Amino acid sequence: MTPPAVTLLDVARAAGVSKSTVSDALQGSGRVAETTRNRVREVAEQLGYRPNSAARRLRRSSTGAIGLHLPQTATRLDYYMNLAFGAVQRAQEGGLDVVLLAAPAGAASGPLASRVDGLLVIDPEVGDSAVPGLLDAGVPVVTGERYLGPSPTPAGAVVCDNAASLTALLDHVRVRGARRPALLAPEGASAWAEALRGTAAAWGGSHGPQVALRTVPFAATAADAEAATRRLLASDPAIDAVICAPDGAAPGVLRAAAALGRTVGTDLLVASCVDGAANRGANPPVTAVDLRPAAYGRACAELLCDILAARTPPDTVRRHAWALETRPSTTG
């Protein structure tokens, strides 16, 4: 015979507190002392308490889900898939499902407030027609990177210091002997793209030779990067370092270098602004900035969960750390 389910009242009696205190402690809401909150959670775990998700959603007028909107070009990119997995994992820990919003559905923002409790909008681009409606959907929104267009202010944001990461790459290739670096920068109006283009210009002004800047699609393929690098090196043979911004495109730079008789790691240094499997498995492996996408997605979902549970005030901005991974493409 199946034993009866443990109730909130059972937990309250065992912890020596009221039923409402147990409810607030487990949901992360209300004015509950941290020691009491921890005690209630320990007792609930010991008793095997499992919340009635249907009743909880009814009480909170909650859907039990959050929406996730990625850039339109993201579906084939390793970075965004890892980011999505991190967001889903953190949301599930908070008892929330994740609904992936396609661009056409995202543009029709009216019904969203009845379908999700909040939204994650990652790398919002000014040219993405869905973004303004998502930011005005009537639910809390957390953006991964800032939105540069006119719109309601999101409830929160998680941002990387993209200017610092590109500066670190440029400083690295300079230390390795590069005197005429180039950047294959993403086109479009996103915080990431504008930070990279602006940083390249500022770094050139401070360190001597200007960075040769060429724009490629936001989600450029390896073939796009190969063609752009061939044109770049043909027009300016003095280029001795190429930094490729888009995820997964740097192997195309390696192919262009080989076709033109350049030796990667010695007379041509190659690096990427976004790390991933393509860079790690390339020949030679490519130096890159590890943006830790799974942890980034998790951080975005955690901020939204905290805002929904009133653990964090709106207008919160959190920083996400990155790391420079040096490999033979720049170290020889």
Side-chain angles (χ1 to χ4, degrees):
M1 182 175 179
T2 303
V6 177
T7 66
L8 280 178
L9 186 57
D10 295 328
V11 177
R13 287 170 175 164
V17 297
S18 69
K19 183 179 175 181
S20 61
T21 297
V22 171
S23 178
D24 287 343
L26 295 179
Q27 293 186 44
S29 59
R31 297 190 178 186
V32 180
E34 192 63 26
T35 54
T36 302
R37 193 185 304 276
N38 291 337
R39 171 63 178 158
V40 168
R41 289 174 175 171
E42 289 174 4
V43 170
E45 184 175 353
Q46 291 168 2
L47 295 178
Y49 172 74
R50 295 293 179 269
N52 183 325
S53 58
R56 183 181 61 201
R57 291 171 188 174
L58 182 60
R59 288 193 299 271
R60 294 171 55 213
S61 298
S62 166
T63 67
I66 59 174
L68 173 63
H69 179 77
L70 300 172
Q72 298 177 21
T73 53
T75 54
R76 65 173 182 78
L77 297 180
D78 183 60
Y79 172 83
Y80 288 110
M81 294 305 98
N82 281 301
L83 186 152
F85 289 140
V88 168
Q89 182 183 52
R90 177 60 185 87
Q92 288 177 338
E93 291 172 7
L96 296 169
D97 294 325
V98 177
V99 178
L100 185 61
L101 302 175
S109 62
L112 276 180
S114 64
R115 292 163 45 203
V116 298
D117 296 335
L119 292 167
L120 299 176
V121 180
I122 307 301
D123 279 333
E125 297 179 90
V126 174
D128 185 343
S129 61
V131 170
L134 293 171
L135 294 175
D136 197 26
V139 294
V141 178
V142 166
T143 60
E145 299 299 341
R146 300 181 188 275
Y147 180 58
L148 302 181
S151 70
T153 302
V158 180
V159 301
C160 288
D161 193 341
N162 297 302
S165 65
L166 178 57
T167 297
L169 278 177
L170 287 165
D171 287 345
H172 170 68
V173 297
R174 185 170 182 268
V175 168
R176 298 300 302 173
R179 293 297 177 263
R180 179 62 174 152
L183 173 67
L184 301 183
E187 60 189 18
S190 67
W192 178 60
E194 295 209 357
L196 296 185
R197 295 194 298 260
T199 300
W203 188 92
S206 300
H207 293 81
Q210 294 295 312
V211 177
L213 183 65
R214 301 290 187 275
T215 56
V216 293
F218 182 91
T221 64
D224 293 331
E226 180 178 3
T229 303
R230 282 175 175 267
R231 292 192 296 270
L232 173 67
L233 296 179
S235 64
D236 191 348
I239 296 293
D240 52 11
V242 177
I243 296 174
C244 183
D247 177 24
V253 179
L254 301 182
R255 292 202 298 264
L260 295 171
R262 304 290 291 269
T263 302
V264 173
T266 54
D267 70 333
L268 182 69
L269 308 183
V270 177
S272 175
C273 294
V274 182
D275 201 9
N279 293 325
R280 293 188 292 269
N283 185 21
V286 176
T287 289
V289 174
D290 182 3
L291 295 173
R292 302 167 54 242
Y296 188 55
R298 183 179 181 86
C300 291
E302 181 158 345
L303 177 54
L304 182 56
C305 287
D306 286 347
I307 290 172
L308 291 173
R311 292 188 293 265
T312 299
D315 302 324
T316 295
V317 176
R318 291 178 179 169
R319 303 283 174 178
H320 179 67
W322 51 270
L324 178 61
E325 300 292 338
T326 58
R327 300 190 178 108
S329 69
T330 60
T331 59

